[in-house]
Amino acid sequence: MERPAALSEVPAADDWGGKTQSTEEKVETMKKGEDEVKQQAAALIATQRDSVDALTLVRKQIESLPVDEMGTAFASSSHAVFDDVLGDDMASKMRSEAQSMFDNNKLELDIGAGLTSAEYASAIKGGQDQYLDCPRSIEYVVSMTRHLSAMINKSGEGSDESKSLGFRLDEAASMAGVRFFDRKARMSSLALLLGKTAEELEESHDNSDLNKKEFGFVVSEDGKIDDGKNDLRRLSVLYFTTPDGWDEECGGGITFEKDGKEVSVAAKNDRLVLFSSDKCSHRMEPWVGANREGGESGSVVITHLVRYSR
């Protein structure tokens, strides 16, 4: 009988050694796989722990704010300002998230603020994809929406309507967004538009392209939003995250107007500003920055708490 051709393709017995794993090698491979699983599990646990810590921090700090002071401000169509709210660490993480979103083209230029404004923005809607970009910012919005709304609602002493607002806020829904300013982007756009060098622009200190906006309200006069539905925004909350060295001259703050008088609030780091969305006249000031450390960029998370309607 002839030797089957298939047997010619089978390696000789002494060739099998280089094509199989020894017991020790198999054990090592299994250990490596187990180590990778452990590392992934540890990373997941660390992520969950960071999330819980952020949610808890926001809850505790929000609940420590004086609700009576807020109620007085809302009732008089004024505003309330609180400093050192979440701490430098949380503020720094949220500012870094905004910077990263800008660097990775996750923000869009706000044309309404001007082509040379260098103000970039994005809605904060949550979801798995966006959570990878700005986890702390999302957790801030979620926790602040729930606990600040609940605290204000509770101030109605158990009634169906809030004592300070005259209605209940939705504790599970809000509208939020992040706004980021980059001075390098502003100087580049100015140089392109005006045909000047960076040195010439620095010497001129010309910000005439940034016209001050008119005073107005978050909610339009007809109480509608773009799709014709009722605008339920009732309480606006600004949380500023700016670097050390950012001052009032760098811009980015907000000015309130009442009875012909203006009150300016600077974009100070870790500062929370609250005001009535439909009754408080205001204007957002343009971001300018400065040619020095601490004047390069800044950001703000804007959250609108909404009236409960379900």
Side-chain angles (χ1 to χ4, degrees):
M1 180 181 293
E2 295 183 1
R3 176 182 174 85
L7 292 179
S8 299
E9 300 177 4
V10 178
D14 56 358
D15 288 341
W16 282 100
K19 300 180 183 294
T20 60
Q21 283 186 314
S22 66
T23 302
E24 291 78 6
E25 289 174 330
K26 290 181 179 179
V27 171
E28 187 63 29
T29 300
M30 292 176 62
K31 286 183 177 180
K32 185 179 295 184
E34 291 175 354
D35 290 341
E36 291 178 355
V37 172
K38 289 179 180 179
Q39 290 175 1
Q40 293 174 355
L44 178 60
I45 292 173
T47 299
Q48 293 174 335
R49 184 183 298 114
D50 290 342
S51 178
V52 171
D53 289 346
L55 292 167
T56 302
L57 170 68
V58 176
R59 175 183 63 80
K60 289 182 177 180
Q61 295 305 103
I62 290 297
E63 290 179 346
S64 70
L65 298 177
V67 68
D68 290 341
E69 184 177 337
M70 292 185 232
T72 299
F74 304 148
S76 61
S77 300
S78 184
H79 62 279
V81 180
F82 305 101
D83 288 330
D84 305 322
V85 177
L86 300 181
D88 290 340
D89 183 60
M90 183 68 167
S92 177
K93 290 177 180 177
M94 291 174 64
R95 184 171 65 251
S96 295
E97 289 176 354
Q99 176 74 61
S100 178
M101 292 177 73
F102 169 74
D103 293 340
N104 289 283
N105 300 316
K106 298 296 180 69
L107 305 177
E108 294 185 1
L109 177 66
D110 183 1
I111 302 298
L115 291 174
T116 56
S117 67
E119 293 186 31
Y120 297 80
S122 173
I124 295 179
K125 298 181 179 180
Q128 183 175 357
D129 290 340
Q130 193 179 52
Y131 186 80
L132 296 175
D133 296 325
C134 53
R136 302 294 86 86
S137 298
I138 290 175
E139 288 152 1
Y140 157 78
V141 171
V142 169
S143 190
M144 193 271 294
T145 297
R146 178 180 179 183
H147 299 293
L148 181 58
S149 297
M151 187 169 67
I152 293 176
N153 288 337
K154 189 176 180 180
S155 69
E157 299 179 341
S159 64
D160 290 336
E161 294 189 344
S162 168
K163 179 180 179 181
S164 49
L165 293 179
F167 51 81
R168 291 188 65 82
L169 291 170
D170 195 323
E171 299 173 18
S174 64
M175 299 173 63
V178 58
R179 180 171 293 268
F180 179 81
F181 167 78
D182 184 79
R183 189 173 184 275
K184 289 182 179 179
R186 168 163 166 72
M187 300 306 288
S188 296
S189 60
L190 277 174
L192 182 63
L193 180 67
L194 302 177
K196 294 184 178 181
T197 65
E199 292 75 12
E200 290 173 333
L201 291 172
E202 293 294 354
E203 291 177 359
S204 66
H205 300 288
D206 185 6
N207 294 310
S208 59
D209 60 304
L210 299 175
N211 297 323
K212 286 189 175 181
K213 301 177 182 178
E214 296 182 358
F215 285 102
F217 304 91
V218 171
V219 179
S220 63
E221 188 174 353
D222 63 1
K224 303 292 184 179
I225 50 180
D226 294 339
D227 58 5
K229 296 181 180 178
N230 291 331
D231 192 339
L232 299 177
R233 292 176 293 180
R234 290 297 180 269
L235 177 61
S236 297
V237 185
L238 312 182
Y239 180 65
F240 292 102
T241 59
T242 52
D244 292 338
W246 190 276
D247 55 27
E248 192 167 356
E249 292 183 356
C250 294
I254 183 171
T255 299
F256 296 95
E257 185 272 335
K258 184 180 180 182
D259 300 328
K261 297 181 179 180
E262 299 182 8
V263 178
S264 296
V265 180
K268 181 181 178 182
N269 186 52
D270 199 20
R271 168 171 281 176
L272 198 73
V273 182
L274 302 90
F275 60 96
S276 174
S277 305
D278 57 340
K279 297 179 180 179
C280 197
S281 178
H282 71 284
R283 72 169 176 235
M284 298 299 298
E285 300 297 342
W287 297 76
V288 178
N291 186 27
R292 53 175 167 75
E293 185 177 357
E296 305 92 346
S297 62
S299 64
V300 58
V301 173
I302 304 174
T303 309
H304 304 290
L305 303 184
V306 300
R307 182 172 183 166
Y308 183 82
S309 63
R310 288 172 289 176

